[in-house]
Amino acid sequence: MGWPRGLYSALLLALTPLIWRRIRREHALTDSRHTPRELRLGRIPETPSGERMLWLHCASVGEVLAARPLIEALLERYPDHRLTLTTMTATGADRARALSASRDDGRLVHHFIPLDFPRAAARFVERLGPELALFFETELWPNLLHACCSRGVPVAVINGRLSSRAFRGYLRLRPLMREALACVDWLAAKSADDAERFARLGMAEEGIDVVGSLKFDITTDDAVLEVSERLRTCLGERPVWVAGSTHEGEETVLLAAHARLRESHLAAGFKRCSEALLVLVPRHPQRFDAVAALCEQAGMPVARRSRGEWPEAETAVYLGDTMGELLTLYGAADLAFVGGSLVPIGGHNLLEPAALGVPVLTGPELANFEEVAEVLRRADALVEVVDGRALAVVLTELFADPAERRRLGEAGRAVVAANRGALERTLNGLARLLPAK
């Protein structure tokens, strides 16, 4: 073990009490019958002898959703293999299990990724026995990568990205990152900037290809579109906007903007628009009750989707407190604001509403999606606001201008269509590591 990984592993062991405290809180969100130690120490069932396994790791729910086209393509291209999908978070686990349940062939299974302790990582890789390991975006776990290397498992980083902020942090750990990246056989970067940053951290340049973002290969099930259409019909002609993947500190700003929207429309003579409905979808399920309380404190009558409550004429907020329905809710809206962008989170997937032809609004914090945002900007398919007051003004203007809403929606959909192709380039690169049979 090199000294960077040795020091890293020693620090993990020193932080074990804090790590387990967080794991226990996370575990409380799941319905698993296993203990946190079983879930996080690599104690998974051994893959039966002769069974061929692929492994894809995604951090959380957003990455699982972005990886869905890849998941489906891998299962189709490698019909003799099963695919293990690992996640770090309970919300990601819920989405992975939903994907698994939607299949009837048992070829997609879920496990929590082990904590990156050397023995746990080695145990997990040994028991899983994958023929190929795929890590999505920036999931670079030194001991897991080393465990793959030690067992001769080819490793690829898929949809590889490093924001400028993340890169600055990783630069301080360059010796550790160089050792970890030495275990990566191929890195499929989202952009030339991402490729350059990975190379500066120590990834061999000949092992990097720029393939584009898998997020542009987003797919929408017909069933999702049908539910969206039914929901929109039931909501009637009232103006509807969705705020998706919102975070703590953001909902208060959005509720204030919604109040200004309803008041400004009324004052401007748009009587029907004073009935505007906000569909509010928090990012994390553990915050659903707190966000419902915020709505009530703001004097906003709220209906909760999880309880089967329906927005009545006096309802101001429809709380999307269910999992896996964000695309459905986006599809029923006139406008979509993508959260994590009015607080320093770095934004979330701008392409989900764009793929549905719904105009996309965002705040200024876009570190995690800067490349995607730039593509949308060049096509004049993104509306950016600096704060809640500016958001209220933009909402007011767009609800009064159906032609501009239509233009924005069509421009966003065209951007998604024009930038597809990263999936096929990724699969072609993976075929060099594991040829299809």
Side-chain angles (χ1 to χ4, degrees), residues 90-109:
T91 53
D94 289 341
R95 187 87 301 262
R97 289 166 180 160
L99 285 179
S100 178
S102 68
R103 304 182 61 88
D104 56 10
D105 57 8
R107 294 178 57 217
L108 178 62
V109 296

Side-chain angles (χ1 to χ4, degrees), residues 364-392:
E365 299 285 348
L366 290 172
N368 294 333
F369 286 86
E370 188 54 46
E371 297 90 348
V372 169
E374 183 56 32
V375 175
L376 290 168
R377 285 188 197 107
R378 288 199 298 265
D380 197 13
L382 182 65
V383 179
E384 299 175 80
V385 298
V386 295
D387 55 25
R389 286 190 175 275
L391 175 61

Side-chain angles (χ1 to χ4, degrees), residues 209-225:
D209 285 318
V210 177
V211 302
S213 175
L214 283 171
K215 289 181 170 66
F216 285 103
D217 288 273
I218 186 171
T219 58
T220 306
D221 293 341
D222 290 340
V224 170
L225 296 177

Side-chain angles (χ1 to χ4, degrees), residues 86-373:
T86 56
T87 61
M88 177 62 71
T89 68
T91 53
D94 289 341
R95 187 87 301 262
R97 289 166 180 160
L99 285 179
S100 178
S102 68
R103 304 182 61 88
D104 56 10
D105 57 8
R107 294 178 57 217
L108 178 62
V109 296
H110 171 266
H111 291 300
F112 281 99
I113 196 170
L115 296 171
D116 203 32
F117 300 132
R119 290 184 181 178
R123 181 187 300 119
F124 180 87
V125 175
E126 180 180 1
R127 293 188 177 189
L128 186 63
E131 293 185 21
L132 178 64
L134 311 176
F135 292 80
F136 202 80
E137 295 194 342
T138 52
E139 288 294 291
L140 302 175
W141 296 101
N143 285 318
L144 276 165
L145 290 170
H146 176 77
C148 291
C149 255
S150 297
R151 293 188 62 83
V153 178
V155 173
V157 174
I158 303 303
N159 216 47
R161 70 174 179 88
L162 272 179
S163 69
S164 57
R165 182 169 61 186
F167 174 66
R168 289 193 296 272
Y170 279 122
L171 270 179
R172 292 192 287 269
L173 305 172
R174 184 184 287 179
L176 178 63
M177 289 299 99
R178 183 184 298 112
E179 186 176 344
L181 288 166
C183 296
V184 176
D185 297 278
W186 183 58
L187 192 146
K190 288 173 58 178
S191 71
D193 287 341
D194 292 302
E196 180 185 357
R197 289 166 187 156
F198 277 110
R200 289 180 62 187
L201 286 179
M203 179 67 196
E205 291 188 22
E206 61 271 20
I208 305 175
D209 285 318
V210 177
V211 302
S213 175
L214 283 171
K215 289 181 170 66
F216 285 103
D217 288 273
I218 186 171
T219 58
T220 306
D221 293 341
D222 290 340
V224 170
L225 296 177
E226 290 174 5
V227 175
S228 295
E229 290 174 2
R230 290 200 300 270
L231 178 58
R232 177 74 245 197
T233 299
C234 293
L235 291 175
E237 295 185 358
R238 66 191 300 184
V240 178
W241 67 290
V242 170
S245 296
T246 61
H247 288 257
E248 185 174 1
E250 202 165 32
E251 290 93 2
T252 302
V253 177
L254 294 167
L255 289 170
H258 188 51
R260 293 189 190 101
L261 165 69
R262 288 162 63 94
E263 293 167 0
S264 63
H265 274 98
L266 183 60
F270 297 103
K271 185 175 182 181
R272 181 180 64 82
C273 290
S274 66
E275 301 171 356
L277 178 70
L278 166 61
V279 181
L280 186 56
V281 190
R283 178 74 171 181
H284 300 118
Q286 61 267 37
R287 300 190 56 249
F288 288 160
D289 290 341
V291 175
L294 279 177
C295 296
E296 293 170 357
Q297 292 167 12
M300 298 275 186
V302 60
R304 299 185 63 165
R305 187 167 175 81
S306 65
R307 298 177 180 178
E309 298 170 353
W310 189 251
E312 304 293 343
E314 67 277 5
T315 303
V317 178
Y318 189 28
L319 187 61
D321 53 350
T322 55
M323 294 300 295
E325 288 198 301
L326 182 56
L327 276 178
T328 296
L329 297 172
Y330 275 146
D334 299 301
L335 299 168
F337 176 86
V338 181
S341 59
L342 285 174
V343 289
I345 297 296
H348 290 295
N349 195 345
L350 303 169
L351 298 175
E352 290 175 336
L356 297 168
V358 179
V360 184
L361 288 69
T362 180
E365 299 285 348
L366 290 172
N368 294 333
F369 286 86
E370 188 54 46
E371 297 90 348
V372 169

